[in-house]
């Protein structure tokens, strides 16, 4: 079963790389069925990866609201998987907002891109700001700077700081 899920994930990635979003969505639908139970929450073959790939297919089809929903589910599934050793009844519950790795920051960036595509720039900025600065990629910093500029007055200094960070990452970045 795990091998089947990994195979379907790879096929979905192949369709996404060729921008065949309808095909990726159809294979992704099968993938969601096979990865739902009895598999790990994180890593290759996991349901979190399947949810993210399905979200990518929907994003490619410009179905941003549906895509956002699947990215959020993938984030939640990843958080639960990373904290599976927590015993019920303990006072310390996992933090669902803290982003601790590059995979989580990529998911949060995908959520931000959905918000921005839906013209909800403020929510897009909030999603991007949740990503700790050391985990922000060049594309994330550029999107943050651009989003700050779109919100109007008061955000120019924030935009400049995001663009400075982007230039530190790559001095040829001129978005």
């Amino acid at each position: 079963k795990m091998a089947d899920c990994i195979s379907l994930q790879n096929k979905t990635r192949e369709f996404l790389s060729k921008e065949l979003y309808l095909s990726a969505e159809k294979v992704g639908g099968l993938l969601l069925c096979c990865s739902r139970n009895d598999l790990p929450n994180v890593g290759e073959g996991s349901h979190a990866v399947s949810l993210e790939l399905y979200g990518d297919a929907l994003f490619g089809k410009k179905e941003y609201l549906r895509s956002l929903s699947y990215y959020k589910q993938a984030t939640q599934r990843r958080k639960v998987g990373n904290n599976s050793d927590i015993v019920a009844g303990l006072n310390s519950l996992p933090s669902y907002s803290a982003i601790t790795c590059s995979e989580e920051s990529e998911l949060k960036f995908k959520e931000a891109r959905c918000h921005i595509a839906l013209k909800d720039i403020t929510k897009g900025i909030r999603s991007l700001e949740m990503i700790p600065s050391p985990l922000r990629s060049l594309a994330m910093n550029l999107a943050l700077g651009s989003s700050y500029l779109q919100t109007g007055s008061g955000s120019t200094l924030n935009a400049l700081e995001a663009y400075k960070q982007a230039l530190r990452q790559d001095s040829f970045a001129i978005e």
Side-chain angles (χ1 to χ4, degrees):
K1 183 164 181 165
M2 176 72 130
D4 292 338
C5 283
I6 291 172
S7 176
L8 287 173
Q9 285 178 348
N10 289 334
K11 181 51 83 174
T12 304
R13 282 187 192 97
E14 179 185 329
F15 285 140
L16 289 170
S17 72
K18 295 176 181 177
E19 299 181 4
L20 299 171
Y21 301 117
L22 182 60
S23 296
E25 179 191 18
K26 298 301 180 198
V27 173
L30 294 172
L31 179 57
L32 290 178
C33 292
C34 91
S35 69
R36 182 160 289 150
N37 301 317
D38 303 325
L39 293 174
N41 284 328
V42 295
E44 196 70 19
S46 71
H47 194 56
V49 171
S50 298
L51 289 163
E52 182 177 2
L53 289 169
Y54 193 70
D56 290 346
L58 295 173
F59 188 89
K61 291 179 62 191
K62 299 182 181 355
E63 294 185 33
Y64 305 119
L65 198 56
R66 285 182 65 207
S67 180
L68 179 62
S69 171
Y70 283 94
Y71 291 145
K72 287 182 177 188
Q73 288 178 58
T75 299
Q76 186 176 35
R77 182 64 71 128
R78 185 176 295 281
K79 286 289 186 184
V80 169
N82 287 341
N83 293 289
S84 60
D85 56 338
I86 293 177
V87 179
L90 290 179
N91 289 334
S92 61
L93 294 174
S95 169
Y96 289 96
S97 61
I99 295 174
T100 59
C101 66
S102 61
E103 291 85 2
E104 291 172 13
S105 64
E106 272 302 315
L107 275 168
K108 192 54 73 176
F109 180 47
K110 289 177 179 187
E111 287 179 28
R113 288 177 52 214
C114 289
H115 287 302
I116 292 165
L118 291 165
K119 305 296 186 220
D120 194 343
I121 307 303
T122 304
K123 281 186 181 177
I125 289 172
R126 271 191 249 134
S127 292
L128 289 166
E129 287 177 337
M130 290 178 73
I131 303 168
S133 186
L135 291 177
R136 281 191 207 135
S137 67
L138 176 62
M140 292 173 195
N141 280 312
L142 291 172
L144 186 57
S146 173
S147 296
Y148 279 136
L149 287 179
Q150 290 180 42
T151 61
S153 64
S155 297
T156 306
L157 291 176
N158 291 332
L160 282 173
E161 189 54 41
Y163 284 134
K164 282 181 189 177
Q165 187 61 34
L167 287 171
R168 283 185 204 107
Q169 291 170 304
D170 188 337
S171 59
F172 289 102
I174 56 171
E175 297 294 314

